Amino acid sequence: MDFWIVTNNERVREKYATCHIVFVDGTDRDVMVRLRDLVHAGHILLTHPLTGSLKPGETPFRSVLVTDAPTEKVDTFSLQLIETCRLALDKFRIRYEGLSKSTLDDFREVDLSLIDSAIPRAMADRSRGRFE
Amino acid sequence: MRLELGNIDIREIRFAEKSEIKDGVLYVNQEEIVAKVLEDDLIREAHLDITVPGESVRITPVKDVIQPRVKVEGPGGMFPGVIAKVDTVGSGKTNVLRGMAVVTAGRIVGFQEGIIDMSGPGADYTPFSQLNNLVLVMEPKEGIKQHDYERAARLAGLKTAAFIGELAKNITPDETKVYETLTVKEGFEKYPDLPRIGYVLMLQTQGLLHDTYVYGVDAKQTLTTLISPTEIMDGAIISGNCVSACDKNTTYHHQNNPVIEDLFEAHGKTLNFVGVIITNENVYLADKMRSSDWSAKLAEYLSLDGVIVSQEGFGNPDTDLIMNCTKIEKKGIKTVIITDEYAGQDGKSQSLADADPLADAVVTGGNANEVIVLPPMEKIIGTLDFVNKIAGGHDGSLREDGSIEAEIQVITGSTNEMGFNKLSAR
């Protein structure tokens, strides 16, 4: 078993080049849609789709871990979570348009840091061959 | 564990040649403190400012707020594992500089939030407008990494607060209060008929700008555990959290946690305050499950009848909150949760990103999406560069006259989820 990193953050793609990356060339909302599709296909969420306490619409970057091998049945916990997160996201206005390069770099760094905190956990679970 | 808190009222802060406390006035030698702050190579520039309640001043972006305290008797020192050695604190005597705080401000990253207005309508939303503040404004060296500078700014604030606290070591307090936590056995024997109540304190622990430290340990690397409430009063928990100004817990909030204060007040009268369970809010879902399992397990282990759960932050911590609540309820233990809401500017949307029928007793810190207009202030401490970027702000939120139209989530502590606010609704 392995995990995939679903992300639209180039910094995450670069740092974890040896991992399986599902790169979404789009906004954080596009990442959410991709995650929903993966959950519907039987993948299980390993990290929370609302990653940090930066408000939706504030940061354009989002990185989330899912299992690689789809299960036959849709995971109901993952399904409920991704749908409530998408609803939560839609409540916020997009405010990340027109940000400076350095601010975008800061947002990339924070997103990377949030997923950095989860990846050692996912690697440990991968090596024991089981994700909870 | 018994702690005596000696409150020393600080009526005023003044710059002076010698740093000292005399007759309720804190005198500060600015050069002395700045020199200490600049010992860290990562900080290029630092200066201090003083703010007084009621004046036309806006501080932004605020990183942390810290109350100076000092150990007078008993083991350990302030901010154990960070500034002082890691010895267990929470017993003996501690002096507190009441009515003041050290506020750290300045650029950490390019989108920082956090406003404290010392007067006007915004002042009503933050408890820190009521304090005499010593504001430490810092500038990083060029080209340093965000992680390194966040740590440097965090430590500079704590170092400054610890230095000022030391000035109060030999001052006779204006008021003394005693807080005592009994052992499990003593509690059963002394209050056999009172309900046994615990407090689950959730700590934000997700990564850069989202971290909390317990005795110096990054809490995302910890398992849910027990801590004495008086250890928290002695600075065992410090904030490394820079986002979500309205509902993050600053170090000051931890030092003065109102849930702990109120539980002590009721202790031995209407309830038996058994202790505090601290648990984290991690990104990895298996961590959330493990940590909330442990909250419920420890609540059961302590034979609690009821638990108060307080959240920190927004979004994924809603999931931790509901997991803690439902798992504890399923052990037959009643819960009350404290959270805040993101219900949209009209207040009509779903408030939380998670919910459960077992979460049937909820205290809210308010709707963070509520819109407010903050009038222009005569003096700005820090910078207004980020006002259009911060949460709740939007392009155009900073108007030409210096006023700001934004959601109350931009204000430090406005919807605090420990209930550390003074506005309420009927």
Side-chain angles (χ1 to χ4, degrees), chain B residues 36-60:
Chain B
K36 280 182 190 301
V37 169
L38 293 180
E39 280 169 11
D40 193 323
D41 291 344
L42 302 180
I43 300 170
R44 174 171 60 85
E45 196 190 302
H47 70 270
L48 294 173
D49 226 312
I50 293 166
T51 69
V52 176
E55 66 181 350
S56 180
V57 170
R58 172 164 297 143
I59 315 169
T60 189

PDB file of all heavy atoms in Angstrom, chain B residues 36-60:
ATOM      1  N   LYS B  36      18.903  42.704  24.208  1.00  0.00           N
ATOM      2  CA  LYS B  36      18.632  41.281  24.443  1.00  0.00           C
ATOM      3  C   LYS B  36      17.981  40.638  23.225  1.00  0.00           C
ATOM      4  O   LYS B  36      18.310  39.520  22.830  1.00  0.00           O
ATOM      5  CB  LYS B  36      17.706  41.104  25.654  1.00  0.00           C
ATOM      6  CG  LYS B  36      18.427  41.201  26.979  1.00  0.00           C
ATOM      7  CD  LYS B  36      17.467  40.966  28.129  1.00  0.00           C
ATOM      8  CE  LYS B  36      18.130  41.299  29.449  1.00  0.00           C
ATOM      9  NZ  LYS B  36      19.338  40.506  29.719  1.00  0.00           N
ATOM     10  N   VAL B  37      17.032  41.362  22.638  1.00  0.00           N
ATOM     11  CA  VAL B  37      16.321  40.830  21.467  1.00  0.00           C
ATOM     12  C   VAL B  37      17.285  40.666  20.287  1.00  0.00           C
ATOM     13  O   VAL B  37      17.248  39.667  19.561  1.00  0.00           O
ATOM     14  CB  VAL B  37      15.137  41.760  21.101  1.00  0.00           C
ATOM     15  CG1 VAL B  37      14.547  41.404  19.743  1.00  0.00           C
ATOM     16  CG2 VAL B  37      14.055  41.688  22.186  1.00  0.00           C
ATOM     17  N   LEU B  38      18.180  41.639  20.127  1.00  0.00           N
ATOM     18  CA  LEU B  38      19.102  41.611  18.982  1.00  0.00           C
ATOM     19  C   LEU B  38      20.255  40.618  19.167  1.00  0.00           C
ATOM     20  O   LEU B  38      21.052  40.423  18.249  1.00  0.00           O
ATOM     21  CB  LEU B  38      19.655  43.016  18.699  1.00  0.00           C
ATOM     22  CG  LEU B  38      18.625  44.036  18.209  1.00  0.00           C
ATOM     23  CD1 LEU B  38      19.280  45.384  17.963  1.00  0.00           C
ATOM     24  CD2 LEU B  38      17.884  43.573  16.965  1.00  0.00           C
ATOM     25  N   GLU B  39      20.324  39.988  20.355  1.00  0.00           N
ATOM     26  CA  GLU B  39      21.311  38.910  20.536  1.00  0.00           C
ATOM     27  C   GLU B  39      21.061  37.804  19.511  1.00  0.00           C
ATOM     28  O   GLU B  39      21.956  37.056  19.157  1.00  0.00           O
ATOM     29  CB  GLU B  39      21.204  38.315  21.949  1.00  0.00           C
ATOM     30  CG  GLU B  39      21.891  39.154  23.019  1.00  0.00           C
ATOM     31  CD  GLU B  39      21.537  38.675  24.429  1.00  0.00           C
ATOM     32  OE1 GLU B  39      20.938  37.587  24.578  1.00  0.00           O
ATOM     33  OE2 GLU B  39      21.855  39.422  25.383  1.00  0.00           O
ATOM     34  N   ASP B  40      19.810  37.692  19.082  1.00  0.00           N
ATOM     35  CA  ASP B  40      19.475  36.713  18.048  1.00  0.00           C
ATOM     36  C   ASP B  40      19.826  37.301  16.680  1.00  0.00           C
ATOM     37  O   ASP B  40      19.271  38.325  16.277  1.00  0.00           O
ATOM     38  CB  ASP B  40      17.978  36.382  18.123  1.00  0.00           C
ATOM     39  CG  ASP B  40      17.634  35.154  17.304  1.00  0.00           C
ATOM     40  OD1 ASP B  40      18.228  34.981  16.215  1.00  0.00           O
ATOM     41  OD2 ASP B  40      16.785  34.370  17.750  1.00  0.00           O
ATOM     42  N   ASP B  41      20.728  36.637  15.976  1.00  0.00           N
ATOM     43  CA  ASP B  41      21.217  37.138  14.683  1.00  0.00           C
ATOM     44  C   ASP B  41      20.119  37.287  13.636  1.00  0.00           C
ATOM     45  O   ASP B  41      20.293  38.010  12.654  1.00  0.00           O
ATOM     46  CB  ASP B  41      22.251  36.159  14.097  1.00  0.00           C
ATOM     47  CG  ASP B  41      23.515  36.186  14.910  1.00  0.00           C
ATOM     48  OD1 ASP B  41      23.685  37.138  15.678  1.00  0.00           O
ATOM     49  OD2 ASP B  41      24.316  35.234  14.783  1.00  0.00           O
ATOM     50  N   LEU B  42      19.028  36.555  13.818  1.00  0.00           N
ATOM     51  CA  LEU B  42      17.989  36.555  12.778  1.00  0.00           C
ATOM     52  C   LEU B  42      17.142  37.821  12.819  1.00  0.00           C
ATOM     53  O   LEU B  42      16.403  38.119  11.882  1.00  0.00           O
ATOM     54  CB  LEU B  42      17.085  35.332  12.924  1.00  0.00           C
ATOM     55  CG  LEU B  42      17.796  33.977  12.861  1.00  0.00           C
ATOM     56  CD1 LEU B  42      16.804  32.844  13.013  1.00  0.00           C
ATOM     57  CD2 LEU B  42      18.543  33.836  11.536  1.00  0.00           C
ATOM     58  N   ILE B  43      17.241  38.565  13.937  1.00  0.00           N
ATOM     59  CA  ILE B  43      16.449  39.782  14.064  1.00  0.00           C
ATOM     60  C   ILE B  43      17.331  40.982  13.735  1.00  0.00           C
ATOM     61  O   ILE B  43      18.349  41.209  14.368  1.00  0.00           O
ATOM     62  CB  ILE B  43      15.833  39.895  15.477  1.00  0.00           C
ATOM     63  CG1 ILE B  43      14.936  38.676  15.726  1.00  0.00           C
ATOM     64  CG2 ILE B  43      15.042  41.190  15.630  1.00  0.00           C
ATOM     65  CD1 ILE B  43      14.451  38.529  17.138  1.00  0.00           C
ATOM     66  N   ARG B  44      16.922  41.716  12.692  1.00  0.00           N
ATOM     67  CA  ARG B  44      17.748  42.826  12.204  1.00  0.00           C
ATOM     68  C   ARG B  44      17.524  44.081  13.031  1.00  0.00           C
ATOM     69  O   ARG B  44      18.436  44.836  13.314  1.00  0.00           O
ATOM     70  CB  ARG B  44      17.386  43.101  10.733  1.00  0.00           C
ATOM     71  CG  ARG B  44      18.063  44.321  10.110  1.00  0.00           C
ATOM     72  CD  ARG B  44      17.803  44.361   8.616  1.00  0.00           C
ATOM     73  NE  ARG B  44      16.394  44.441   8.269  1.00  0.00           N
ATOM     74  CZ  ARG B  44      15.700  45.579   8.200  1.00  0.00           C
ATOM     75  NH1 ARG B  44      16.269  46.725   8.462  1.00  0.00           N
ATOM     76  NH2 ARG B  44      14.414  45.564   7.880  1.00  0.00           N
ATOM     77  N   GLU B  45      16.259  44.286  13.420  1.00  0.00           N
ATOM     78  CA  GLU B  45      15.910  45.547  14.068  1.00  0.00           C
ATOM     79  C   GLU B  45      14.764  45.301  15.050  1.00  0.00           C
ATOM     80  O   GLU B  45      13.889  44.468  14.800  1.00  0.00           O
ATOM     81  CB  GLU B  45      15.438  46.512  12.970  1.00  0.00           C
ATOM     82  CG  GLU B  45      15.401  47.955  13.379  1.00  0.00           C
ATOM     83  CD  GLU B  45      14.698  48.770  12.303  1.00  0.00           C
ATOM     84  OE1 GLU B  45      15.164  48.745  11.148  1.00  0.00           O
ATOM     85  OE2 GLU B  45      13.680  49.400  12.626  1.00  0.00           O
ATOM     86  N   ALA B  46      14.805  46.010  16.167  1.00  0.00           N
ATOM     87  CA  ALA B  46      13.696  45.886  17.121  1.00  0.00           C
ATOM     88  C   ALA B  46      13.526  47.214  17.842  1.00  0.00           C
ATOM     89  O   ALA B  46      14.490  47.941  18.052  1.00  0.00           O
ATOM     90  CB  ALA B  46      13.997  44.792  18.136  1.00  0.00           C
ATOM     91  N   HIS B  47      12.283  47.556  18.153  1.00  0.00           N
ATOM     92  CA  HIS B  47      12.045  48.701  19.029  1.00  0.00           C
ATOM     93  C   HIS B  47      10.790  48.465  19.853  1.00  0.00           C
ATOM     94  O   HIS B  47       9.984  47.578  19.555  1.00  0.00           O
ATOM     95  CB  HIS B  47      11.963  50.012  18.237  1.00  0.00           C
ATOM     96  CG  HIS B  47      10.739  50.122  17.391  1.00  0.00           C
ATOM     97  ND1 HIS B  47      10.692  49.681  16.099  1.00  0.00           N
ATOM     98  CD2 HIS B  47       9.509  50.616  17.672  1.00  0.00           C
ATOM     99  CE1 HIS B  47       9.478  49.901  15.602  1.00  0.00           C
ATOM    100  NE2 HIS B  47       8.742  50.461  16.534  1.00  0.00           N
ATOM    101  N   LEU B  48      10.659  49.254  20.907  1.00  0.00           N
ATOM    102  CA  LEU B  48       9.509  49.100  21.803  1.00  0.00           C
ATOM    103  C   LEU B  48       8.580  50.286  21.677  1.00  0.00           C
ATOM    104  O   LEU B  48       9.004  51.397  21.328  1.00  0.00           O
ATOM    105  CB  LEU B  48       9.985  49.008  23.256  1.00  0.00           C
ATOM    106  CG  LEU B  48      10.813  47.797  23.653  1.00  0.00           C
ATOM    107  CD1 LEU B  48      11.337  47.971  25.071  1.00  0.00           C
ATOM    108  CD2 LEU B  48       9.984  46.530  23.552  1.00  0.00           C
ATOM    109  N   ASP B  49       7.309  50.046  21.962  1.00  0.00           N
ATOM    110  CA  ASP B  49       6.331  51.114  22.003  1.00  0.00           C
ATOM    111  C   ASP B  49       5.414  50.824  23.187  1.00  0.00           C
ATOM    112  O   ASP B  49       5.307  49.678  23.617  1.00  0.00           O
ATOM    113  CB  ASP B  49       5.519  51.103  20.694  1.00  0.00           C
ATOM    114  CG  ASP B  49       5.388  52.493  20.120  1.00  0.00           C
ATOM    115  OD1 ASP B  49       5.035  53.395  20.898  1.00  0.00           O
ATOM    116  OD2 ASP B  49       5.623  52.653  18.905  1.00  0.00           O
ATOM    117  N   ILE B  50       4.773  51.849  23.694  1.00  0.00           N
ATOM    118  CA  ILE B  50       3.864  51.657  24.832  1.00  0.00           C
ATOM    119  C   ILE B  50       2.466  52.066  24.393  1.00  0.00           C
ATOM    120  O   ILE B  50       2.298  53.124  23.769  1.00  0.00           O
ATOM    121  CB  ILE B  50       4.318  52.516  26.034  1.00  0.00           C
ATOM    122  CG1 ILE B  50       5.659  52.001  26.569  1.00  0.00           C
ATOM    123  CG2 ILE B  50       3.269  52.515  27.143  1.00  0.00           C
ATOM    124  CD1 ILE B  50       6.360  52.969  27.513  1.00  0.00           C
ATOM    125  N   THR B  51       1.471  51.252  24.684  1.00  0.00           N
ATOM    126  CA  THR B  51       0.091  51.660  24.380  1.00  0.00           C
ATOM    127  C   THR B  51      -0.742  51.655  25.655  1.00  0.00           C
ATOM    128  O   THR B  51      -0.530  50.835  26.545  1.00  0.00           O
ATOM    129  CB  THR B  51      -0.579  50.749  23.338  1.00  0.00           C
ATOM    130  OG1 THR B  51      -0.793  49.455  23.914  1.00  0.00           O
ATOM    131  CG2 THR B  51       0.257  50.608  22.086  1.00  0.00           C
ATOM    132  N   VAL B  52      -1.699  52.576  25.682  1.00  0.00           N
ATOM    133  CA  VAL B  52      -2.542  52.794  26.861  1.00  0.00           C
ATOM    134  C   VAL B  52      -4.001  52.632  26.441  1.00  0.00           C
ATOM    135  O   VAL B  52      -4.381  53.092  25.354  1.00  0.00           O
ATOM    136  CB  VAL B  52      -2.308  54.238  27.392  1.00  0.00           C
ATOM    137  CG1 VAL B  52      -3.228  54.553  28.562  1.00  0.00           C
ATOM    138  CG2 VAL B  52      -0.851  54.415  27.794  1.00  0.00           C
ATOM    139  N   PRO B  53      -4.833  51.987  27.266  1.00  0.00           N
ATOM    140  CA  PRO B  53      -6.247  51.843  26.916  1.00  0.00           C
ATOM    141  C   PRO B  53      -6.895  53.206  26.616  1.00  0.00           C
ATOM    142  O   PRO B  53      -6.628  54.186  27.315  1.00  0.00           O
ATOM    143  CB  PRO B  53      -6.871  51.222  28.175  1.00  0.00           C
ATOM    144  CG  PRO B  53      -5.749  50.502  28.836  1.00  0.00           C
ATOM    145  CD  PRO B  53      -4.519  51.301  28.541  1.00  0.00           C
ATOM    146  N   GLY B  54      -7.691  53.238  25.556  1.00  0.00           N
ATOM    147  CA  GLY B  54      -8.442  54.450  25.236  1.00  0.00           C
ATOM    148  C   GLY B  54      -7.766  55.368  24.246  1.00  0.00           C
ATOM    149  O   GLY B  54      -8.390  56.291  23.720  1.00  0.00           O
ATOM    150  N   GLU B  55      -6.473  55.161  23.945  1.00  0.00           N
ATOM    151  CA  GLU B  55      -5.817  56.071  23.001  1.00  0.00           C
ATOM    152  C   GLU B  55      -6.034  55.609  21.557  1.00  0.00           C
ATOM    153  O   GLU B  55      -6.397  54.475  21.297  1.00  0.00           O
ATOM    154  CB  GLU B  55      -4.322  56.231  23.329  1.00  0.00           C
ATOM    155  CG  GLU B  55      -3.517  54.983  23.156  1.00  0.00           C
ATOM    156  CD  GLU B  55      -2.048  55.192  23.526  1.00  0.00           C
ATOM    157  OE1 GLU B  55      -1.636  56.334  23.732  1.00  0.00           O
ATOM    158  OE2 GLU B  55      -1.332  54.194  23.601  1.00  0.00           O
ATOM    159  N   SER B  56      -5.782  56.526  20.635  1.00  0.00           N
ATOM    160  CA  SER B  56      -6.063  56.259  19.226  1.00  0.00           C
ATOM    161  C   SER B  56      -4.868  55.545  18.583  1.00  0.00           C
ATOM    162  O   SER B  56      -4.076  56.148  17.869  1.00  0.00           O
ATOM    163  CB  SER B  56      -6.352  57.598  18.528  1.00  0.00           C
ATOM    164  OG  SER B  56      -6.635  57.362  17.176  1.00  0.00           O
ATOM    165  N   VAL B  57      -4.761  54.250  18.877  1.00  0.00           N
ATOM    166  CA  VAL B  57      -3.624  53.459  18.403  1.00  0.00           C
ATOM    167  C   VAL B  57      -4.116  52.124  17.858  1.00  0.00           C
ATOM    168  O   VAL B  57      -5.009  51.499  18.437  1.00  0.00           O
ATOM    169  CB  VAL B  57      -2.613  53.209  19.556  1.00  0.00           C
ATOM    170  CG1 VAL B  57      -1.561  52.190  19.149  1.00  0.00           C
ATOM    171  CG2 VAL B  57      -1.938  54.497  19.979  1.00  0.00           C
ATOM    172  N   ARG B  58      -3.525  51.706  16.770  1.00  0.00           N
ATOM    173  CA  ARG B  58      -3.797  50.380  16.186  1.00  0.00           C
ATOM    174  C   ARG B  58      -2.480  49.609  16.131  1.00  0.00           C
ATOM    175  O   ARG B  58      -1.489  50.104  15.598  1.00  0.00           O
ATOM    176  CB  ARG B  58      -4.385  50.556  14.782  1.00  0.00           C
ATOM    177  CG  ARG B  58      -4.535  49.274  13.974  1.00  0.00           C
ATOM    178  CD  ARG B  58      -5.473  49.486  12.784  1.00  0.00           C
ATOM    179  NE  ARG B  58      -6.788  49.820  13.267  1.00  0.00           N
ATOM    180  CZ  ARG B  58      -7.619  50.688  12.688  1.00  0.00           C
ATOM    181  NH1 ARG B  58      -7.264  51.318  11.577  1.00  0.00           N
ATOM    182  NH2 ARG B  58      -8.799  50.935  13.201  1.00  0.00           N
ATOM    183  N   ILE B  59      -2.462  48.391  16.713  1.00  0.00           N
ATOM    184  CA  ILE B  59      -1.276  47.526  16.632  1.00  0.00           C
ATOM    185  C   ILE B  59      -1.578  46.419  15.626  1.00  0.00           C
ATOM    186  O   ILE B  59      -2.584  45.718  15.766  1.00  0.00           O
ATOM    187  CB  ILE B  59      -0.951  46.881  17.999  1.00  0.00           C
ATOM    188  CG1 ILE B  59      -1.040  47.896  19.140  1.00  0.00           C
ATOM    189  CG2 ILE B  59       0.427  46.226  17.979  1.00  0.00           C
ATOM    190  CD1 ILE B  59      -0.987  47.265  20.537  1.00  0.00           C
ATOM    191  N   THR B  60      -0.726  46.251  14.618  1.00  0.00           N
ATOM    192  CA  THR B  60      -0.916  45.199  13.623  1.00  0.00           C
ATOM    193  C   THR B  60       0.351  44.993  12.798  1.00  0.00           C
ATOM    194  O   THR B  60       1.052  45.973  12.550  1.00  0.00           O
ATOM    195  CB  THR B  60      -2.119  45.520  12.699  1.00  0.00           C
ATOM    196  OG1 THR B  60      -2.383  44.375  11.886  1.00  0.00           O
ATOM    197  CG2 THR B  60      -1.874  46.716  11.802  1.00  0.00           C
TER     198      THR B  60
END
